[in-house]
Amino acid sequence: MAAGYAELLRTRHAARLLVGTLVGRLPNATAPIAIVLFTRAEGGSYSLAGALAAAYGVANAVGQPLLGRAVDLFGQPRVQLPAAVVSALGVVWLALAGTGSAVAAYAAVAVAGLFTPPLEGGLRALWPSVLGGREEKVHAAYAMDAVAQEVMFTVGPLLVTLFVALWSPAGALLALNAIGVLGALSVVVSEPSRTWRSAPREAHWLGALRSRGLLALLGAFFFVGMALGSITVAGVAYADDHGGQAVYGWLMAALGLGALIGGVTYGARQWAGAPERRLRMLVALLALGYLPLMLTPGPVAMTGLAALSGVFLAPALACAFIVVDRHAPAGTVTEAFSWLVTFFGVGAAIGTAAAGPAVELGGTAASFGVAGVAGVAALLVLMVTQRVLATAGPGRAVAGSSDGVSEGSREVASGASSAG
């Protein structure tokens, strides 16, 4: 397994793009906890801290597809780097102004969230050209990408804690965003990013959202995000009853470890057949993994269940990336990937909000039940829309994954090649 990923990373530009993207996304991955710690250090209430973090999340959800569309239209360097700089300036504004003026604080986090560069979607748009359009390598890169996300979202909070200990919450905010700008810079000055061009696109105000298959996928992953968001709150409720913060840390670490193992295993082999059918199976297993959490056994068993529930998350995400590429209308690939980020993030926010009342009304088991119900809902969406998903978007490959890259990947690879 490791040998396959090592081979990918030895491909020219691959390691640089992956690392640069992860570093560039650190501000986004750490923003919620960093904003909460900063607000509390400034004397703000928990309500204000949560509201500012939520405002950042909403602005980010709005900005990702808009900036993704801009990338498809104007190229990566013209959008990614300026967006990263403006987002960082929003954080500088927050750090300097503090939270004394709620209006200024909300405006600062809104700017930071709205202009977060769509590096995640941008990287997935680059993989086909970087890997020579070889479909099996692109699919493995998507799996590696999903695994790397789990690592980033595990390491990110630790970095916030470290920077706060070394400097201050304000210092942590500034340092993480400065690092993020450097990561974005590393990506956009690379040859693949500079030469990449989106395929020609049909002018349409809906952009990527005119694809029925993409809408079906986004609906399913809204519920996957909802399941994951609810677990973060349910885990806190469980930990309060079983030993406190240490137990919560173990649960979240186990969830991430499960996703890491699942993603590495999934990406280590080639998969035959249509990815849409494989995605239904992966989401079914994901939903099945969430349901036992409602048993809420002792901490050791619960940690094991948390790890099991995470195993199919990274594979489902990696498979979803393939489906996005197959169903995104020509010339909208970055926007389409950015919409996936948005729907997943909004779902996670709603899951977080729903889990709180569930704890108060039905206890910890009920809050984990939100994850189970959301997982089943994601599967139902994929089952109800399977005929829509069985047909790829206009001009795209419909067959399984055995006859070369999808039409969208060919167009991306061709555009990058001709631009060079």
Side-chain angles (χ1 to χ4, degrees):
M1 290 186 289
Y5 287 131
E7 181 183 356
L8 281 177
L9 292 173
R10 282 196 297 269
T11 303
R12 189 182 178 204
H13 303 298
R16 173 181 178 172
L17 290 172
L18 179 64
V19 173
T21 297
L22 292 175
V23 172
R25 291 179 59 213
L26 266 178
N28 181 232
T30 58
I33 185 172
I35 289 173
V36 168
L37 291 176
F38 173 77
T39 304
R40 291 296 294 152
E42 290 286 302
S45 66
Y46 281 109
S47 295
L48 178 61
L52 288 174
Y56 176 91
V58 170
N60 182 255
V62 172
Q64 286 296 292
L66 294 177
L67 291 171
R69 182 178 294 195
V71 167
D72 288 326
L73 290 171
F74 305 113
Q76 294 198 0
R78 292 182 180 180
V79 178
Q80 304 277 37
L81 185 58
V85 171
V86 173
S87 178
L89 289 175
V91 171
V92 172
W93 180 11
L94 176 66
L96 294 179
T99 59
S101 168
V103 173
Y106 278 114
V109 298
V111 168
L114 187 65
F115 287 94
T116 298
L119 293 168
E120 188 174 349
L123 175 63
R124 289 164 199 156
L126 290 176
W127 281 132
S129 57
V130 171
L131 299 174
R134 293 182 58 184
E135 186 180 29
E136 70 281 359
K137 285 194 171 186
V138 173
H139 292 184
Y142 285 156
M144 181 175 65
D145 188 347
V147 169
Q149 284 190 70
E150 298 303 323
V151 174
M152 183 189 65
F153 280 99
T154 300
V155 172
L158 297 177
L159 283 178
V160 174
T161 304
L162 175 63
F163 289 170
V164 168
L166 289 175
W167 302 304
S168 66
L173 273 173
L174 296 173
L176 287 166
N177 279 269
I179 292 171
V181 171
L182 292 177
L185 178 63
S186 174
V187 171
V188 300
V189 298
S190 69
E191 181 184 349
S193 181
R194 287 185 290 105
T195 59
W196 180 85
R197 297 293 181 272
S198 179
R201 61 186 284 149
E202 175 190 346
H204 197 290
W205 70 276
L206 279 175
L209 294 184
R210 68 181 183 272
S211 165
R212 295 173 63 203
L214 180 62
L215 287 174
L217 179 72
L218 296 178
F221 272 80
F222 166 85
F223 287 110
V224 173
M226 184 175 176
L228 201 61
S230 67
I231 288 177
T232 60
V233 174
V236 173
Y238 176 87
D240 286 343
D241 295 334
H242 294 83
Q245 291 185 354
V247 173
Y248 180 73
W250 280 108
L251 290 180
M252 294 300 103
L255 187 69
L257 178 62
L260 187 64
I261 292 171
V264 170
T265 303
Y266 175 82
R269 58 161 292 183
Q270 296 181 28
W271 299 87
E276 292 84 357
R277 185 166 58 248
R278 184 163 68 251
L279 181 62
R280 284 196 298 276
M281 179 61 68
L282 289 169
V283 171
L285 293 169
L286 186 64
L288 190 62
Y290 289 144
L291 294 173
L293 295 173
M294 290 187 289
L295 298 174
T296 61
V300 174
M302 193 64 177
T303 300
L305 290 178
L308 183 64
S309 72
V311 166
F312 295 100
L313 177 61
L317 285 170
C319 192
F321 299 157
I322 300 169
V323 177
V324 168
D325 184 53
R326 283 163 57 85
H327 288 271
T332 68
V333 63
T334 310
E335 179 189 344
F337 279 124
S338 298
W339 274 118
L340 182 64
V341 175
T342 288
F343 271 71
F344 191 89
V346 171
I350 291 177
T352 300
V359 172
E360 296 174 357
L361 293 173
T364 303
S367 63
F368 280 115
V370 174
V373 170
V376 171
L379 176 60
L380 288 176
V381 171
L382 292 178
M383 292 178 66
V384 169
T385 60
Q386 59 182 301
R387 293 185 66 179
V388 172
L389 284 165
T391 304
R396 308 180 82 80
V398 181
S401 304
S402 57
D403 60 346
V405 291
S406 73
E407 187 68 24
S409 295
R410 291 193 189 97
E411 289 169 339
V412 171
S414 165
S417 175
S418 62

